[in-house]
Amino acid sequence: MKHFKFILSITFLSLLMVGCGDDDRKSSNRSSSGAMASNAAERVYVAPGEHDEFYAFISGGYSGNLTVYGLPSGRMLKEIPVFSQFPTSGYGYSEETRPMLNTSFGFIPWGDSHHPDISQTNGDTDGRWVFINENNTPRIARISLETFETEEIIEIPHSAGNHSSSFVTENTEYVVAGTRFSVPYPQKDMPIEEMKGNFKGPLTFIAVGDDGRMKIDFQLDMPGFNYDLSHPGRGDSHGWFFFTTYNTEEAHTMQEVNASQNDKDFIAAVNWKKIQEYVQNGGGEEIDAEYAHNVYDHSTHTATSTMMNKVLRVDPREVGDAVFFMPTPKSPHGCDVDPSGEYIGGNGKLSTDLTVHSFSKMIQAIENEDFTGEAYGIPVLNFDSTLAGTVKEGGLGPLHTEFDGKGNAYTTFFISSEVVKWKLGTWEVLDRQPSYYSVGHLMIPGGNSRNPEGKYLISMNKITKDRYLPTGPELEHSAQLYDISGEKMELLLDFPTHGEPHYAAGISADKVKPNSKKIYRLDENKHARAALSEADTRMERDGNNVHVYMTTVRSHFAPDNLEGIKVGDKVFFHVTNLEQDFDVPHGFAIIGANNSELLIMPGQTKTTTWEPKKEGVWPFYCTDFCSALHQEMQGYVRVSGKNSNVPLRWTLDGE
């Protein structure tokens, strides 16, 4: 009994000591984490009135838009509407911007935006445009970094799941659009079980003019695999583009099992310069296509949508030494090229290792015809002959890699939830940091260029549980900011992101902010229905259509009282903001409107429609607080019966 009591006492004391030790450790951790948190807070703090060092353009995923954040603060600066209607500004609702969302399938009010990329000159980000893809209804958009507005959207015909997009070449010669889902090419009715050998995966190369205007140059008729992600060559590999593939099994059922049978899938290496030369010399076959090309004109403040009907198809087997497959384990997702252009990484989702190919070895293997076979007539290179090295046991579920320009690479591991730093050339793991989330993509400003700015890294994460205050069953996704300027990565900041970020592009603020447009000049406003002064304001009837030429200025509308509108009319409010002062937009909203309000920038003209259903006197007002007398910025519309004979009459201050 005494022996039992002794053991019990020792056990109790041990537990007590362990408990005290735990408390001490917790106290110590709290203390050190508090100091670290203070240090991190200082390093991400941007004082009032100060500017962030970098812009980060983060995709919105299912929001269809692009969000703009400042780094290192993590402050969201703007949401840019791209592929989805946006009530805040009336994008996709106003008569001027609705054409931006036209497609061959009709008007599509939402999109799924994935991978932004910034235009480049000589391999450096140049701050002119951001390109971003839409996955569901295949499209590529171009966003001006003067206005931070979407200027152009081109639909991609014959494509399905525009995923390995929208990455640009070193001088923005091309932006690519790859096909995630293989489909009949051109589309036709056929049994799904006959897909093998009959479905295709066209890769679209879109030429970009000096003014940014996009034009489909050619589509490459590729085997019917799933093309996942891509990146351009640079340096010696300039002129090539690299695409990861999966489902080389060409399975169509239970793909989580049946599309993961092969030990290796491929990275497709495409020599676009050879194909470009082939096309310029008359090669390729013009085939029928139907796709929309939508362009916004900043002088008329109006978008136009043009339906196109042809595209040039190129069979890669007809172009010598233009396309090759490099075997890559296993179901690779990310396809990443280092700043020198020598190393091409393929991150196999189902492999614990990272496979890195050598461009120079690839060229040598091509010259030596070192092939192990072919896939639908495209040579398959010997795996060992192109292999530069392997990062062993980096983690579980590797997805994406970025580079810091100092010889280091950083890869996200979705399953083991970490960011891992490793060395190019030696392939050794140097550091790893837990992300506390299921981490997806990551971005280093300038990471997809010859000269990354290796100071910060942001990871874009899924499944945010327990990291923020709860907001019901769904939380916003999250980004984490790491300092990568030293030998070890340091986590500095968590911040929520809107939508589901799939990728981001970053650039030094100094490359963008000097060119930012402050206003639209009134003397350059060529909108067909602009009223450029209050003397131009008026109302005009054309049958049941009534056009109101209206102006706004602090703090009134002209005209501010309108009569003669009838039930059954369709009223077009063409509203011009006469301000010529930076950041003084005006809003317009009217009771009973069933589309959207407007937000009109200085010097801009926008149009909304209103179809009154009831007699009465209905107010309209400015929705953007613009002055101390903002509340007084309003007017009235009198609506009379359908058969009334009340004449059109409009006033400003009773005149």
Side-chain angles (χ1 to χ4, degrees):
M1 186 69 180
K2 287 181 180 178
H3 181 66
F4 174 75
K5 286 182 178 179
F6 174 77
I7 292 174
L8 189 63
S9 299
I10 292 296
T11 304
F12 175 77
L13 286 171
S14 299
L15 289 172
L16 185 62
M17 290 172 68
V18 167
C20 292
D22 280 349
D23 286 343
D24 289 343
R25 280 194 296 271
K26 286 177 182 175
S27 175
S28 173
N29 286 341
R30 279 196 297 268
S31 169
S32 75
S33 70
M36 288 174 62
S38 173
N39 178 261
E42 289 173 3
R43 287 150 68 188
V44 301
Y45 177 69
V46 178
E50 297 292 324
H51 290 176
D52 279 284
E53 188 175 354
F54 297 98
Y55 286 99
F57 299 93
I58 302 181
S59 71
Y62 44 66
S63 80
N65 294 332
L66 183 68
T67 47
V68 186
Y69 290 80
L71 298 181
S73 73
R75 299 179 295 194
M76 191 175 95
L77 306 176
K78 187 168 187 174
E79 182 170 358
I80 302 173
V82 186
F83 298 112
S84 295
Q85 289 180 302
F86 193 58
T88 299
S89 66
Y91 177 86
Y93 294 97
S94 69
E95 296 301 304
E96 290 82 5
T97 58
R98 279 182 60 84
M100 294 298 286
L101 301 183
N102 284 347
T103 75
S104 62
F105 300 93
F107 180 82
I108 305 292
W110 71 275
D112 182 21
S113 59
H114 275 229
H115 305 121
D117 202 10
I118 299 170
S119 57
Q120 295 186 18
T121 302
N122 297 325
D124 278 337
T125 55
D126 57 26
R128 291 180 294 167
W129 308 297
V130 174
F131 299 88
I132 190 168
N133 60 321
E134 205 272 282
N135 193 32
N136 179 67
T137 308
R139 291 172 279 178
I140 298 286
R142 178 175 56 83
I143 296 151
S144 166
L145 291 186
E146 280 191 352
T147 61
F148 284 66
E149 291 184 356
T150 304
E151 288 190 331
E152 186 176 13
I153 297 177
I154 192 166
E155 187 182 359
I156 312 301
H158 305 307
S159 181
N162 174 35
H163 196 258
S164 48
S165 316
S166 52
F167 302 102
V168 302
T169 53
E170 284 200 303
N171 287 295
T172 321
E173 299 97 335
Y174 286 107
V175 56
V176 300
T179 298
R180 176 179 172 185
F181 310 112
S182 61
V183 289
Y185 176 43
Q187 277 284 8
K188 63 180 179 180
D189 179 15
M190 64 174 292
I192 297 172
E193 64 264 22
E194 296 177 12
M195 71 168 285
K196 194 165 188 174
N198 293 313
F199 284 18
K200 297 296 185 72
L203 306 177
T204 305
F205 283 71
I206 302 163
V208 182
D210 292 340
D211 60 354
R213 189 67 63 90
M214 297 185 289
K215 176 182 178 295
I216 294 177
D217 199 15
F218 60 86
Q219 285 189 322
L220 203 55
D221 187 356
M222 294 289 283
F225 310 142
N226 293 43
Y227 296 83
D228 201 357
L229 276 164
S230 61
H231 268 96
R234 51 183 60 94
D236 288 343
S237 60
H238 176 69
W240 290 80
F241 229 103
F242 304 94
F243 300 80
T244 47
T245 72
Y246 66 103
N247 193 21
T248 52
E249 299 85 351
E250 297 177 84
H252 64 275
T253 62
M254 292 286 290
Q255 289 197 25
E256 72 273 25
V257 175
N258 296 324
S260 303
Q261 298 301 306
N262 292 341
D263 182 55
K264 293 181 178 69
D265 293 283
F266 299 127
I267 287 178
V270 176
N271 188 330
W272 59 261
K273 276 204 167 183
K274 280 203 169 182
I275 300 169
Q276 181 189 57
E277 183 180 355
Y278 172 78
V279 166
Q280 289 173 348
N281 289 328
E285 172 196 9
E286 194 172 65
I287 63 172
D288 290 336
E290 185 182 10
Y291 60 101
H293 187 186
N294 310 325
V295 178
Y296 184 82
D297 186 323
H298 282 293
S299 64
T300 63
H301 306 289
T302 301
T304 56
S305 181
T306 305
M307 295 304 298
M308 313 297 286
N309 56 23
K310 295 289 181 183
V311 73
L312 192 69
R313 178 171 64 185
V314 173
D315 184 338
R317 296 168 298 185
E318 299 295 324
V319 189
D321 292 341
V323 181
F324 300 89
F325 285 132
M326 292 190 289
T328 305
K330 180 179 183 187
S331 296
H333 183 55
C335 180
D336 305 292
V337 180
D338 85 303
S340 74
E342 168 62 13
Y343 297 122
I344 304 113
N347 301 326
K349 301 189 296 291
L350 304 180
S351 173
T352 59
D353 297 338
L354 302 179
T355 300
V356 184
H357 298 277
S358 160
F359 176 73
S360 57
K361 285 187 174 184
M362 183 195 84
I363 294 300
Q364 187 175 4
I366 292 170
E367 291 172 350
N368 295 337
E369 297 187 356
D370 189 0
F371 308 140
T372 59
E374 54 87 25
Y376 294 106
I378 295 174
V380 177
L381 295 166
N382 186 312
F383 173 72
D384 292 326
S385 297
T386 67
L387 184 66
T390 303
V391 181
K392 292 289 187 182
E393 299 180 357
L396 298 176
L399 291 183
H400 297 277
T401 299
E402 289 270 294
F403 306 91
D404 63 7
K406 295 177 281 191
N408 304 308
Y410 302 76
T411 300
T412 54
F413 289 83
F414 182 81
I415 297 173
S416 53
S417 299
E418 56 187 333
V419 178
V420 174
K421 176 181 179 179
W422 50 276
K423 188 72 174 175
L424 287 162
T426 68
W427 322 118
E428 61 182 316
V429 172
L430 302 175
D431 189 23
R432 59 180 71 240
Q433 287 290 329
S435 72
Y436 306 101
Y437 304 91
S438 295
V439 58
H441 296 65
L442 76 167
M443 181 274 285
I444 293 170
N448 180 33
S449 74
R450 288 194 191 188
N451 295 301
E453 302 186 66
K455 185 174 182 179
Y456 298 114
L457 176 153
I458 60 170
S459 64
M460 287 147 278
N461 310 305
K462 324 293 183 185
I463 310 174
T464 318
K465 64 178 64 173
D466 300 329
R467 296 289 288 180
Y468 300 126
L469 287 172
T471 55
E474 185 191 20
L475 298 170
E476 291 281 27
H477 289 268
S478 177
Q480 290 182 298
L481 177 74
Y482 296 84
D483 184 332
I484 59 170
S485 60
E487 291 185 8
K488 299 293 184 181
M489 295 179 282
E490 295 183 70
L491 178 61
L492 301 180
L493 181 68
D494 279 27
F495 58 95
T497 54
H498 188 55
E500 184 193 356
H502 288 268
Y503 190 55
I507 187 171
S508 170
D510 291 339
K511 292 183 179 181
V512 176
K513 64 182 183 180
N515 303 317
S516 183
K517 200 176 189 72
K518 306 294 187 184
I519 62 170
Y520 294 99
R521 287 179 45 163
L522 279 172
D523 59 359
E524 295 176 354
N525 185 331
K526 307 302 181 187
H527 192 289
R529 296 186 184 272
L532 300 181
S533 70
E534 290 187 1
D536 297 330
T537 59
R538 61 197 185 277
M539 294 171 64
E540 295 175 351
R541 177 177 288 279
D542 180 12
N544 290 331
N545 292 333
V546 177
H547 293 272
V548 180
Y549 297 78
M550 180 177 283
T551 63
T552 66
V553 71
R554 287 168 286 187
S555 293
H556 65 261
F557 292 95
D560 61 0
N561 288 288
L562 294 74
E563 300 188 28
I565 306 297
K566 304 175 185 179
V567 172
D569 283 344
K570 185 173 185 178
V571 184
F572 295 81
F573 290 97
H574 310 289
V575 187
T576 301
N577 182 350
L578 298 182
E579 304 284 355
Q580 292 288 267
D581 192 9
F582 177 42
D583 197 29
V584 187
H586 288 296
F588 177 86
I590 185 167
I591 189 170
N594 57 9
N595 45 19
S596 172
E597 63 185 271
L598 296 178
L599 189 66
I600 311 112
M601 298 302 112
Q604 193 175 49
T605 301
K606 285 187 179 179
T607 300
T608 191
T609 58
W610 181 60
E611 299 183 56
K613 303 293 192 300
K614 302 176 183 179
E615 297 178 19
V617 178
W618 308 106
F620 58 87
Y621 68 102
C622 176
T623 57
D624 191 292
F625 206 106
C626 56
S627 74
L629 297 176
H630 166 74
Q631 292 296 100
E632 286 75 13
M633 192 169 174
Q634 67 171 65
Y636 290 102
V637 179
R638 174 187 173 188
V639 177
S640 303
K642 185 174 184 178
N643 298 317
S644 71
N645 56 6
V646 176
L648 289 182
R649 180 172 176 269
W650 61 96
T651 66
L652 173 61
D653 194 27
E655 296 181 4

